[in-house]
Amino acid sequence: EAGVTQFPSHSVIEKGQTVTLRCDPISGHDNLYWYRRVMGKEIKFLLHFVKESKQDESGMPNNRFLAERTGGTYSTLKVQPAELEDSGVYFCASSQDISYNSPLHFGNGTRLTVT
Amino acid sequence: LAKTTQPISMDSYEGQEVNITCSHNNIATNDYITWYQQFPSQGPRFIIQGYKTKVTNEVASLFIPADRKSSTLSLPRVSLSDTAVYYCLVGFNTGFQKLVFGTGTRLLVSP
């Protein structure tokens, strides 16, 4: 089966611009998660979708970040306007269900650089 | 969610067994212990998960003592390709999988 795919793999934008990251989860996985690693720090949870609904968005840093998952398939994470501190690697993950024996499958991430 | 503590780094040589211990003193009754592996420029990859005693799969073993306040990931006969960062996570079974990553252990395997 195809894994979790993220696009783009790298993005370099200027402060104040807008960037949209995309995540395609594994087919059939209702649960989709966004995480990010800001430079030099730990990987942090951003939010969790169950199908098209936001189950938990407690990790979203502020209202410049908007995540959507229309139709319960792929998801986008938009940063508008981007700030320097938004630089980092954004990971998407998916899982079939939320039980203990359904581990998360991660994509390879999108490296965002804001200059 | 339980906080975990791991060594920041470890060094080993090809063919040796590597044991990485993780402390999680405030693990909850319903929490599972999960280990992920991460290579540069890739996302974390699930290795193994357990609740108590010992779990073994094709790549690793996980040892969990009775009090569950720590766990040890064992990698038998490591190779150069096992050089990666290893993360121990607990709090998996919280109703939804809001994983909490610590700093991880950077394992370097040398020839």
Side-chain angles (χ1 to χ4, degrees), chain B residues 1 7 11 14 18 24 32 37-38 42 50 61 63-64 68-70 73 79 85 89 92-93 95 97 100-101 105 108:
Chain B
L1 295 171
D11 295 320
E14 283 188 291
V18 171
H24 28 79
Y32 280 73
Q37 173 192 56
Q38 187 178 26
Q42 293 187 21
S61 294
F63 298 91
I64 306 168
R68 304 198 330 119
K69 293 184 183 299
S70 67
L73 174 72
S79 63
V85 178
L89 300 96
F92 195 78
N93 192 27
Q97 298 158 324
V100 177
F101 285 84
T105 298
L108 174 63

Side-chain angles (χ1 to χ4, degrees), chain A residues 37-111:
Chain A
R37 185 208 301 278
V38 173
M39 293 308 173
K41 298 193 176 178
E42 301 168 5
I43 299 173
K44 298 272 192 186
F45 168 84
L46 295 179
L47 88 160
H48 170 207
F49 282 101
V50 177
K51 297 185 180 179
E52 67 277 8
S53 300
K54 292 177 185 174
Q55 178 75 28
D56 179 1
E57 53 183 326
S58 61
M60 294 288 265
N62 51 62
N63 58 11
R64 294 186 293 104
F65 289 75
L66 175 63
E68 294 180 321
R69 193 183 182 196
T70 306
T73 54
Y74 70 91
S75 174
T76 58
L77 179 64
K78 182 162 69 174
V79 185
Q80 179 182 30
E83 298 289 345
L84 298 179
E85 64 264 26
D86 300 331
S87 295
V89 182
Y90 290 76
F91 293 104
C92 175
S94 72
S95 68
Q96 193 162 24
D97 57 54
I98 59 171
S99 66
Y100 71 91
N101 59 355
S102 183
L104 267 61
H105 298 264
F106 283 82
N108 287 333
T110 293
R111 182 174 295 277

Side-chain angles (χ1 to χ4, degrees), chain B residues 24-36:
Chain B
H24 28 79
N25 292 319
N26 59 340
I27 188 171
T29 302
N30 294 330
D31 286 342
Y32 280 73
I33 300 156
T34 311
W35 285 80
Y36 280 79

Side-chain angles (χ1 to χ4, degrees), chain B residues 14-83:
Chain B
E14 283 188 291
Q16 290 190 332
E17 178 184 77
V18 171
N19 296 307
I20 306 174
T21 297
C22 176
S23 296
H24 28 79
N25 292 319
N26 59 340
I27 188 171
T29 302
N30 294 330
D31 286 342
Y32 280 73
I33 300 156
T34 311
W35 285 80
Y36 280 79
Q37 173 192 56
Q38 187 178 26
F39 298 112
S41 301
Q42 293 187 21
R45 183 175 73 99
F46 172 83
I47 302 176
I48 196 167
Q49 177 183 268
Y51 184 79
K52 62 180 180 180
T53 63
K54 176 184 175 182
V55 179
T56 298
N57 62 22
E58 63 275 9
V59 298
S61 294
L62 178 60
F63 298 91
I64 306 168
D67 66 6
R68 304 198 330 119
K69 293 184 183 299
S70 67
S71 59
T72 299
L73 174 72
S74 182
L75 305 173
R77 298 179 298 282
V78 294
S79 63
L80 298 178
S81 62
D82 292 317
T83 293

